[in-house]
Amino acid sequence: TKLKKCTACYLVRYCSVKCQREHRPQHKKACKKRAAELHDEKLFRQPESSHFGDCPICLIPLSLDRSRRNMLNCCSNIVCDGCSYANDLRQSEERLESTCPFCRQSTSDTNEEAELRQMKRVQVNDPVATREFGLARYYEQDYTRAFENLTKAVELGDVTAHFTLSSMYRAGQGVAENKKKEIYHLEQASIGGHFKARHNLGVEEFQNGRIDRAVKHWIIAATTGDDASLDVIKRGYGQGFVGKEDYAAALRAHQAAVNETKSPQREAARVAEQNGEMSALDPWK
């Protein structure tokens, strides 16, 4: 007979469910301790990138700055401003039809058309489209439909939906206030690279007097490029609860993360925006 592991701690194997139940009183304390250790190993592991990941065209990490990336309703991809600008510039110079820089579908002319495209993506269980539809209902304060769609997005693997659900459980929006579920969704979002969720977990730990855990969260968030977490670490260094080495390491890691999001193409897009050239890129003018 194949022995079954304890699925909480993975320390002990049992020949049957009866055997496991009989051993539970002796095993409970060690099981909880090891399960907590395993949970923290996963929670405090540095993500490879933020939850935005890389631009699917240039494969450079996406900026945390919302104004430096674009959501495409036709294919639910998030593309950097550099690739969007390069696509718009090419289409303008060659007087081509305006199309998506990734999937090459014609761009939507109206909000109604954009919404129809989004719903098509929702109907095929696209996690990003499902989350965006849920967020739209959230901002309309239709919390019942928001919760339904965000929960579905979480089931489909979306990280941002976890973060919004944590807010809903904290504020009791469409659901009963539930601290345990709020923290659960913050942790799941953090594990997925959501820097705001990670920052909020740090605040939560700090308020509960767990300073070391709070600092760990802020360092991880700063390492993905989060300015707010770096600011807290800086203040913590001044107040004495963040060490010099941790502060210096966070500064270097933060700058490295920011530098990784830069490219000549993205810089060209930024300059074009500053000079008011973006709006002029219409091939039919």
Side-chain angles (χ1 to χ4, degrees), residues 160-180:
T160 301
H162 272 297
F163 179 67
T164 308
L165 285 174
S166 75
S167 298
M168 295 181 75
Y169 277 114
R170 181 181 67 250
Q173 296 168 318
V175 291
E177 291 184 25
N178 189 314
K179 193 68 178 178
K180 186 176 181 180

Side-chain angles (χ1 to χ4, degrees), residues 202 206 209-216 218-219 229-244 246-247:
F206 189 85
R210 296 188 284 264
I211 309 301
D212 289 347
R213 292 174 68 87
V215 171
K216 282 183 181 180
W218 290 327
I219 288 175
S229 293
L230 185 64
D231 287 343
V232 173
I233 292 170
K234 182 179 179 180
R235 293 200 301 272
Y237 174 62
Q239 294 172 21
F241 64 83
V242 174
K244 182 178 180 179
D246 284 341
Y247 177 42

Side-chain angles (χ1 to χ4, degrees), residues 23 39 61 79 112 190 202 220 228 241-242 249:
H23 186 244
H39 174 73
V79 173
E112 290 75 14
S190 298
I220 291 172
F241 64 83
V242 174

Side-chain angles (χ1 to χ4, degrees), residues 208-277:
N208 288 321
R210 296 188 284 264
I211 309 301
D212 289 347
R213 292 174 68 87
V215 171
K216 282 183 181 180
H217 283 305
W218 290 327
I219 288 175
I220 291 172
T223 300
T224 64
D226 181 37
D227 293 338
S229 293
L230 185 64
D231 287 343
V232 173
I233 292 170
K234 182 179 179 180
R235 293 200 301 272
Y237 174 62
Q239 294 172 21
F241 64 83
V242 174
K244 182 178 180 179
E245 290 185 5
D246 284 341
Y247 177 42
L251 277 173
R252 290 192 297 268
H254 177 273
Q255 189 59 54
V258 172
N259 289 342
E260 284 180 358
T261 67
K262 295 179 179 179
S263 73
Q265 195 165 265
R266 294 181 185 185
E267 178 60 19
R270 188 186 66 80
V271 171
E273 184 179 29
Q274 288 179 341
N275 295 337
E277 297 170 10

